[in-house]
Amino acid sequence: MRSLTPEIILEVSSVSYAFGGVKAVDGSTFTLQRGLIGALIGPNGAGKTTLINVASGALGAQGGRISFNGLDITGWPSHRVARSGLIRTFQISRELGGMTVLENMLVPPPDQAGEQLFNAVFRPSVGRKQDRRLVELALTQLENFGLYSSRDQYARNLSGGQKRLLELARGVMGEPKLMVLDEPFAGVNPALIERLEEHIRELRQGGITFLMVEHNLNVVERICDHVVVMAEGRTLATGRMADLRRNEEVITAYLGGALTKRAQPAPAGAQPTTGGMPSERGPAVLVAESITAGYGKVPVIQDVTLQAEPGKVVAMVGPNGAGKSTMLKAVFGLLRNKSGRVLLAGEDIGAWPAFRIARNGMAYVPQVINVFTSMTVFENLEMGGYTLKKGVQARANEVLEIFPDLKTARSKKAGNLSGGQRNMLGMARALMLEPKVVLLDEPTAGLSPAYTAIVWDQIRRVAALGTAVVVVEQNVDLAVNHADWVYVLVAGRNRLDGKAREVGLVDLPSIFLGGQGPTEPELRAERKVNEGG
Amino acid sequence: MGPIAYYLATLVVYFFIFAILTWGLNIQFGSAGILNFTYITFFAIGAYFTGVAMMARPTTDSNMRYILGLNWPFIPSLLLGALAAGLLGLLVGLVALRRLRSDYLAIVTVSVGAIVYDFVNVNTSAFNGGDGIAGVPYPFNDQLNLDPNTYIFFYVGLTGFVMLVLGVVAFRLYKSPLGRTLRAIREDSDVAAAFGKDTYRFRMIAMVIGCLYAGIAGGLLIGFISALNPGGWTAGETFIIWAALLVGGRGNNWGALLGAFLVPVLFVEATRFLPEIPGHPVLIAAIRNMIVGGLLIGVLWFRPEGILPERKARFPFVGSTQPRKDAQLDS
Amino acid sequence: MSLLFLSFGFGLITASVLALAAVGLSLQFGVTNYINFAYGEFLTIGAYLAWTLNHWLHVNVWLSMVIATLLTGVFGVVTNQFLLRPFSKKGKPLLFLLIVTFGLSLFLSNLVLAIWGPDFVNLDVPRQQPFSVGPMLFTANQLAIIAIAVVVMLALHLLLTRTEIGKAMRAMSDSVDLAQVSGIDTDRITSFTWLVSGCLAGLAGIVLAINLTSFQPAFGGEFLFVIFAAVILGGVGSPYGAILGALVIGLATEMSGVFLDSAYKNDVAFALLVLMLLLRPQGLIRMAGKAA
């Protein structure tokens, strides 16, 4: 039972934070009521993780105000925020590897008398007495979380899933009023997802408020009472997940433009990916088969298949956390523990190191660090052509012809370029060795619509040179309109693929945002209401 | 009372002193992950201050110049020496511990070591410069009046007592929740901070305590050999303590004790009897130091956890109140 | 006033020596992302190699210096290839690499002691009378030191901005991962960096030896923290910052002699290091950023 005027536990008002010149959080504002399970969702680069880093004191706010439990905690260092009852977990499990699971559990409890130097040296019984209580408590928690039998293992030896459980269990030991979870379900298998959901619900019953950054929107719909949608550093909308699914702004933020208008049953052309080659595709230059890969022990993608033909643009789309970027990295040999087969022009390159792949016909442009910031545009291109014996300069000038925007900035430091120009430069650098295949990781992320169009123009132009281009694209609309073939990845697996136009006719909102998705009449009705009001 | 017994007693005193040093470094590095590359400097500061506190004020016709000259008894002098070392540790911590990366502290310690060494060596009015101080009275011997052959056994007892006390403190610290928090900071200081631990304060505690240990060890040494000059605490000595800790087992106080026996006592003392090469007086010492340097690297390659690795924490005092087992999934 | 100019002149000499050393340390840090605590011994080795070539093998003293510089560079490559690279390939934590270079510094300083003994030696360069250059006094050797430093800095600038391999070093300093996906063989560039770093250390050791007129096995190690001060002042990992840091430290230490007892020269460098760490850690932002 909630009271009629629910109390607010967390209030974020116009908080902003910028890395260098890039505004990651830009005036985000929202509140969270005590006793709820809140979610912070939004497309990649929306600033969610940055926001919780600011809220928990890991980063100092550069503007705005954060109040927690009636206290103004803006600018407090993390340890002080934590002691006031706001405990956060980490996106990648940060177990204290050289300590046992049980010891991990004993670190968080606040105000431990045994931590005082005097007690530690002169009155060890104080610490023992306190530990007797804490160990009992910790063991009970470990039982709940199914980690009791692993209590004396070093935490580094736990499985990926167990580490996620420990992350949550350990957080509880910090006696939080509010727990901020950073992607608690990332890389977690379905059985464990259920289990974690159950734990979170139980803990809420026990009086803990939650705020989680989460990409799995079905989970969010199941357990979160209040959802805050962020895009481009701001709060876009708040409410319940079921309602937000129909919110056009939200759908646009996730998928891009006009797709919402044509939700229809899947036509025959787009089909579940089988790995077989549909007859309308030409001979492939890149074939990646049954790739399973991830970071550490958790596989992010499973059995994913992809192929690309010369002169064609292949796009990979899918909800956040679907494993699109991971697939690119795996194809380019940047992930060690992968299985599956990667063929480049018929040659198995699965075991090659990245630099060898780069020298033999494939190029990769990462999403975040894609240029050498302290070097000029021209020098960046030279680095792209590093293995050319001669003619580097000539080739660089050739490439600059393809990118008129960069031509005028050739002696500018890459660190001073705009985000869009950087993405262009990344692409230009990748072209230096005249690769057969170019992999682009979200080349339009964070760009203005106008520049996005320019970038896609460039991508088409690159393909027109006979290159096979694989693009990870957040904006489904763009992918459908500009690519030749589209793969849809969901939760680390192929969901479907087909000709771009045909994939565009599929009910993608429901794939992306979960649930049934709005139907055409519903949307029309909603628009009328909006326009009327 | 033969020379062998006298020599063995000397070795025991050295062992006790090195045990204290290695425990102190273990508190800093083994528990808190602090890289102190000039540990011996804190030892020297402790020794000098203990010495000059015990000595009488230098007379004008004396050929030594030094500060203080308080004519204090041993115990307060030792405490003063420890405090001086701890204070220097505090200052170093103030400069370097706020930064997270371990390189910063390592750079600052190396620089502090060089500066202090330079200062003591050049500035004759502090501790008599390069000649060093000599003639520090034997602790308690103004009351005991023992002859050197008997006094040494008294000193074995004295250092043994101090070592036992500091050993108990080291073991208690390690097992205490304070030690646990230090290890958590060593493993991942972001996580520790996210659970409310003031990582700067905790690391500072480890830094200062480790320096107090070094200061006390220094005071015990100067009470024993009654003289010290800069040649007695060159940078090379720091490596011996590091080698002792890494060989014995960082994060394990028994390992530190074993290392203190194996490296500074057994290895360094055993090589003392190698014949000197004519015309090359420093060759043996140089080779010895090369081996110590090689040992540091070799241990990290072949057995980075040391002979006695850090042990898992156990909680034997927690009586199980009920049978426990993991909760099962419903599905 | 004339004393001030005089010490400014000495400051330029010290800054020249320091610049050679600091740039070498900084370059290697930028590419490999850990500090070499044995760097001081690299200086020592350079000076002793030059002395040995000249005294034992009777090579012309100037030629000895050139060969010794190159040999120290080769020594840097060997150290990386057989000691540091294996450690970093094994995925050992950063802490280990620092302790390894620390252990190496003891090993090397005693190796030098074992081979060459503890006595002071000096390079057989002609002794000269100082002559005045404007209000400052220099010997021809000292002018040569300044000239060498200027020429080497210019050469380095050309290396870093005009050659593929130098640009690749800068690229690795920016991002090792991106360098790899660009097709740069990062192992090879790392080796080359150690060669350059070692050569600079060797050369710095030689000119330091000339400037001090005589040297002994500990002299490079004793100079290490002055190098640290210059590197940190300029921002760790930035070679151009290191030059600036060397200039500031060199001038500050020598010119402090006007107001302070010259025995406290090094303390001035130390004070600047501490001030920098306390007040202007921005110079170190890059280092913090690379920690991840």
Side-chain angles (χ1 to χ4, degrees):
Chain A
M1 285 291 279
R2 285 180 210 123
S3 66
L4 285 175
T5 52
E7 192 197 341
I8 283 168
I9 190 167
L10 181 71
E11 185 173 3
V12 172
S13 351
S14 351
V15 168
S16 54
Y17 191 91
F19 295 98
V22 186
K23 281 182 182 163
V25 180
D26 187 13
S28 176
T29 299
F30 64 88
T31 58
L32 181 65
Q33 290 161 17
R34 191 183 296 277
L36 297 190
I37 301 178
L40 205 53
I41 66 168
N44 275 344
K48 308 175 297 280
T49 293
T50 308
L51 181 64
I52 66 170
N53 280 337
V54 171
S56 63
L59 298 172
Q62 292 166 345
R65 192 168 159 275
I66 298 160
S67 72
F68 166 67
N69 206 23
L71 297 166
D72 183 354
I73 60 165
T74 322
W76 286 15
S78 359
H79 65 89
R80 206 171 151 207
V81 173
R83 263 184 289 181
S84 72
L86 190 162
I87 299 285
R88 61 89 50 95
T89 65
F90 294 88
Q91 187 178 347
I92 297 164
S93 302
R94 296 273 285 267
E95 75 285 352
L96 304 166
M99 298 167 80
T100 65
V101 170
L102 180 54
E103 261 196 303
N104 265 269
M105 297 288 285
L106 299 178
V107 170
D111 304 318
Q112 297 189 28
E115 275 181 350
Q116 285 161 26
L117 182 57
F118 182 83
N119 288 338
V121 175
F122 298 107
R123 295 166 61 197
S125 62
V126 171
R128 273 204 295 271
K129 202 174 133 201
Q130 162 220 306
D131 272 4
R132 212 168 286 150
R133 185 177 62 82
L134 292 180
V135 168
E136 288 295 339
L137 207 68
L139 290 177
T140 307
Q141 281 304 343
L142 288 177
E143 276 185 319
N144 280 342
F145 282 85
L147 292 168
Y148 177 74
S149 51
S150 318
R151 65 194 179 281
D152 286 331
Q153 277 187 37
Y154 281 121
R156 62 169 169 259
N157 296 334
L158 293 181
S159 73
Q162 285 176 316
K163 285 180 182 174
R164 298 254 55 139
L165 285 166
L166 175 61
E167 194 82 14
L168 189 60
R170 190 176 63 178
V172 175
M173 290 298 288
E175 298 177 17
K177 296 187 180 75
L178 169 66
M179 263 187 101
V180 178
L181 311 175
D182 195 356
E183 297 197 28
F185 299 98
V188 173
N189 67 47
L192 195 56
I193 287 184
E194 264 180 54
R195 175 157 203 169
L196 279 170
E197 282 179 32
E198 202 48 49
H199 284 307
I200 291 172
R201 278 205 199 92
E202 265 169 32
L203 292 167
R204 190 260 299 270
Q205 293 301 320
I208 300 176
T209 309
F210 283 90
L211 177 66
M212 62 177 82
V213 169
E214 185 47 53
H215 285 161
N216 187 333
L217 299 182
N218 290 324
V219 173
V220 170
E221 171 144 31
R222 280 202 296 276
I223 64 168
C224 294
D225 317 282
H226 183 73
V227 178
V228 177
V229 187
M230 280 183 74
E232 291 165 16
R234 294 162 201 269
T235 312
L236 189 69
T238 59
R240 297 186 63 86
M241 193 60 223
D243 303 327
L244 291 169
R245 275 220 168 86
R246 298 140 172 267
N247 183 319
E248 273 194 78
E249 269 188 303
V250 174
I251 296 172
T252 309
Y254 265 87
L255 289 102
L259 259 182
T260 53
K261 287 164 204 137
R262 40 175 145 79
Q264 279 171 27
Q271 50 192 263
T273 309
T274 53
M277 192 199 291
S279 54
E280 56 260 68
R281 301 190 73 175
V285 61
L286 173 72
V287 179
E289 283 172 354
S290 317
I291 305 291
T292 297
Y295 314 89
K297 292 180 178 174
V298 193
V300 177
I301 50 171
Q302 286 180 27
D303 216 14
V304 176
T305 290
L306 174 78
Q307 63 180 53
E309 310 95 324
K312 292 281 158 68
V313 178
V314 170
M316 253 198 289
V317 302
N320 283 338
K324 307 179 294 276
S325 301
T326 308
M327 179 64 183
L328 287 195
K329 285 182 196 161
V331 168
F332 205 72
L334 293 170
L335 298 179
R336 281 186 188 167
N337 51 342
K338 68 160 193 266
S339 66
R341 214 158 67 113
V342 183
L343 300 176
L344 178 62
E347 199 168 357
D348 191 339
I349 60 164
W352 289 15
F355 81 88
R356 191 167 161 209
I357 293 177
R359 289 171 177 204
N360 286 281
M362 184 145 65
Y364 163 67
V365 184
Q367 189 195 343
V368 185
I369 301 170
N370 50 18
V371 295
F372 298 108
T373 48
S374 74
M375 306 178 82
T376 68
V377 167
F378 201 76
E379 284 174 335
N380 264 275
L381 295 181
E382 289 178 311
M383 287 302 102
Y386 187 72
T387 49
L388 289 178
K389 288 278 177 291
K390 51 182 153 186
V392 180
Q393 311 256 323
R395 175 69 187 151
N397 284 321
E398 259 174 60
V399 169
L400 278 180
E401 289 303 318
I402 315 174
F403 295 86
D405 246 41
L406 297 174
K407 215 170 149 187
T408 49
R410 54 183 288 153
S411 339
K412 222 171 157 181
K413 275 233 170 83
N416 298 332
L417 296 179
S418 73
Q421 285 174 316
R422 285 191 198 199
N423 292 357
M424 292 278 211
L425 179 54
M427 227 190 296
R429 180 183 52 71
L431 289 183
M432 282 297 292
L433 294 178
E434 301 183 54
K436 302 182 195 84
V437 182
V438 179
L439 312 178
L440 303 173
D441 197 354
E442 299 208 19
T444 65
L447 302 187
S448 70
Y451 216 91
T452 300
I454 298 175
V455 169
W456 265 104
D457 258 13
Q458 290 292 2
I459 294 173
R460 291 273 23 154
R461 219 176 300 174
V462 168
L465 302 170
T467 316
V469 186
V470 180
V471 187
V472 166
E473 177 55 89
Q474 181 97 276
N475 186 320
V476 179
D477 227 24
L478 289 169
V480 164
N481 286 330
H482 295 278
D484 299 298
W485 197 267
V486 174
Y487 285 86
V488 181
L489 260 62
V490 175
R493 289 172 187 276
N494 285 112
R495 177 69 168 266
L496 55 88
D497 72 313
K499 278 186 182 164
R501 299 260 159 232
E502 288 164 357
V503 171
L505 297 174
V506 177
D507 179 15
L508 288 174
S510 77
I511 291 179
F512 273 59
L513 296 171
Q516 288 306 302
T519 60
E520 182 71 41
E522 277 174 336
L523 278 175
R524 216 176 286 132
E526 207 166 304
R527 265 198 299 279
K528 243 176 220 160
V529 172
N530 288 342
E531 282 157 11
Chain B
M1 191 55 54
I4 300 278
Y6 187 88
Y7 172 68
L8 286 179
T10 311
L11 280 195
V12 172
V13 170
Y14 277 121
F15 169 55
F16 289 163
I17 289 173
F18 272 107
I20 294 170
L21 280 169
T22 315
W23 279 330
L25 189 64
N26 192 32
I27 291 168
Q28 291 185 346
F29 179 69
S31 286
I34 292 171
L35 279 186
N36 184 347
F37 281 171
T38 190
Y39 194 59
I40 204 70
T41 301
F42 301 94
F43 169 86
I45 291 296
Y48 278 124
F49 273 90
T50 306
V52 294
M54 287 180 79
M55 290 159 81
R57 187 171 290 280
T59 52
T60 43
D61 56 331
S62 148
N63 53 3
M64 272 194 292
R65 294 171 64 202
Y66 49 89
I67 54 168
L68 299 181
L70 302 172
N71 221 347
W72 279 4
F74 180 64
I75 298 294
S77 303
L78 184 67
L79 291 179
L80 182 74
L83 274 179
L87 191 68
L88 184 63
L90 184 79
L91 291 176
V92 171
L94 282 175
V95 175
L97 280 182
R98 278 194 193 277
R99 318 249 161 271
L100 287 176
R101 244 183 102 126
S102 37
D103 322 29
Y104 288 79
L105 183 70
I107 288 179
V108 173
T109 56
V110 166
S111 307
V112 165
I115 281 292
V116 171
Y117 196 82
D118 219 33
F119 181 84
V120 171
N121 210 353
V122 171
N123 192 314
T124 48
S125 57
F127 306 111
N128 202 34
D131 294 335
I133 54 172
V136 178
Y138 288 115
F140 301 108
N141 212 27
D142 48 344
Q143 288 126 51
L144 295 168
N145 287 314
L146 299 172
D147 70 295
N149 277 335
T150 322
Y151 180 78
I152 191 168
F153 291 100
F154 164 75
Y155 211 79
V156 167
L158 178 68
T159 45
F161 173 75
V162 177
M163 182 204 85
L164 273 180
V165 171
L166 293 182
V168 169
V169 170
F171 275 90
R172 282 185 172 183
L173 269 179
Y174 188 85
K175 283 191 173 163
S176 72
L178 174 60
R180 181 165 65 221
T181 298
L182 289 176
R183 291 195 297 282
I185 292 168
R186 175 193 75 190
E187 294 292 317
D188 190 332
S189 66
D190 289 345
V191 168
F195 289 123
K197 313 299 177 193
D198 186 344
T199 53
Y200 173 59
R201 210 185 111 245
F202 279 110
R203 276 154 58 97
M204 186 66 101
I205 289 175
M207 178 77 190
V208 171
I209 294 179
C211 291
L212 289 175
Y213 270 59
I216 292 171
L220 287 173
L221 181 83
I222 204 160
F224 185 56
I225 60 176
S226 76
L228 186 67
N229 66 42
W233 52 286
T234 54
E237 306 292 320
T238 295
F239 294 87
I240 292 178
I241 306 163
W242 270 94
L245 180 60
L246 292 179
V247 168
R250 64 205 151 88
N252 184 330
N253 283 316
W254 289 113
L257 194 66
L258 177 68
F261 174 71
L262 289 179
V263 183
V265 178
L266 199 65
F267 170 70
V268 177
E269 284 304 318
T271 52
R272 190 182 289 265
F273 295 105
L274 292 176
E276 197 173 278
I277 312 289
H280 212 339
V282 293
L283 186 61
I284 294 298
I287 289 174
R288 200 162 55 195
N289 276 337
M290 283 166 65
I291 294 174
V292 171
L295 200 59
L296 262 178
I297 297 167
V299 167
L300 287 181
W301 183 261
F302 293 107
R303 195 175 165 83
E305 69 278 15
I307 296 174
L308 298 175
E310 182 166 31
R311 283 193 281 192
K312 289 178 177 176
R314 304 276 175 196
F315 300 91
F317 50 84
V318 179
S320 190
T321 50
Q322 67 233 38
R324 293 180 179 275
K325 66 181 181 60
D326 281 330
Q328 294 300 309
L329 265 176
D330 297 336
S331 50
Chain C
M1 198 59 197
S2 69
L3 196 61
L4 208 60
F5 280 117
L6 221 68
S7 55
F8 183 82
F10 294 140
L12 285 183
I13 302 160
T14 306
S16 303
V17 177
L18 204 47
L20 291 169
V23 169
L25 185 67
S26 205
L27 270 179
Q28 172 262 322
F29 178 90
V31 169
T32 63
N33 205 18
Y34 56 81
I35 288 172
N36 175 12
F37 281 92
Y39 192 71
E41 279 65 35
F42 280 46
L43 267 72
T44 311
I45 287 172
Y48 271 98
L49 285 176
W51 184 85
T52 306
L53 285 165
N54 181 225
H55 280 251
W56 293 359
L57 305 173
H58 307 293
V59 179
N60 167 286
V61 65
W62 304 109
L63 186 61
S64 300
M65 291 178 191
V66 174
I67 298 173
T69 298
L70 294 174
L71 283 178
T72 317
V74 171
F75 179 73
V77 175
V78 169
T79 304
N80 176 54
Q81 191 69 25
F82 295 102
L83 184 67
L84 299 167
R85 199 161 81 96
F87 265 99
S88 68
K89 287 274 145 135
K90 218 175 173 184
K92 294 288 180 194
L94 173 76
L95 228 55
F96 276 32
L97 278 166
L98 297 179
I99 300 174
V100 167
T101 63
F102 180 62
L104 182 66
S105 77
L106 181 75
F107 182 86
L108 292 179
S109 61
N110 283 282
L111 182 67
V112 171
L113 192 61
I115 297 175
W116 286 285
D119 299 329
F120 278 89
V121 295
N122 56 279
L123 288 169
D124 271 338
V125 289
R127 313 253 143 179
Q128 309 125 328
Q129 288 301 311
F131 53 86
S132 27
V133 179
M136 297 172 279
L137 278 179
F138 295 107
T139 63
N141 287 341
Q142 290 172 329
L143 279 181
I145 290 174
I146 296 176
I148 288 171
V150 170
V151 168
V152 169
M153 292 304 119
L154 281 176
L156 261 180
H157 173 71
L158 292 179
L159 173 78
L160 291 175
T161 54
R162 296 291 154 85
T163 68
E164 286 302 301
I165 200 158
K167 286 178 202 171
M169 285 164 73
R170 281 165 58 213
M172 269 186 79
S173 251
D174 265 10
S175 164
V176 175
D177 291 342
L178 191 59
Q180 238 158 9
V181 305
S182 300
I184 295 173
D185 183 347
T186 48
D187 281 347
R188 232 187 92 227
I189 302 298
T190 307
S191 289
F192 182 74
T193 306
W194 277 96
L195 178 74
V196 175
S197 171
C199 284
L200 285 166
L203 185 59
I206 291 167
V207 295
L208 181 64
I210 294 175
N211 197 33
L212 295 173
T213 65
S214 66
F215 58 98
Q216 37 80 36
F219 93 113
E222 285 165 359
F223 196 58
L224 181 63
F225 85 93
V226 186
I227 304 173
F228 280 156
V231 167
I232 285 186
L233 211 66
V236 182
S238 146
Y240 296 99
I243 298 175
L244 189 72
L247 205 60
V248 172
I249 296 284
L251 290 176
T253 50
E254 293 299 337
M255 294 181 76
S256 69
V258 179
F259 315 101
L260 292 168
D261 187 332
S262 69
Y264 295 109
K265 258 183 354 192
N266 285 346
D267 303 59
V268 173
F270 178 71
L272 284 171
L273 171 80
V274 168
L275 272 179
M276 184 70 190
L277 283 172
L278 287 177
L279 304 176
R280 234 190 129 267
Q282 296 97 301
L284 295 159
I285 275 178
R286 181 195 180 79
M287 187 166 166
K290 290 194 66 153

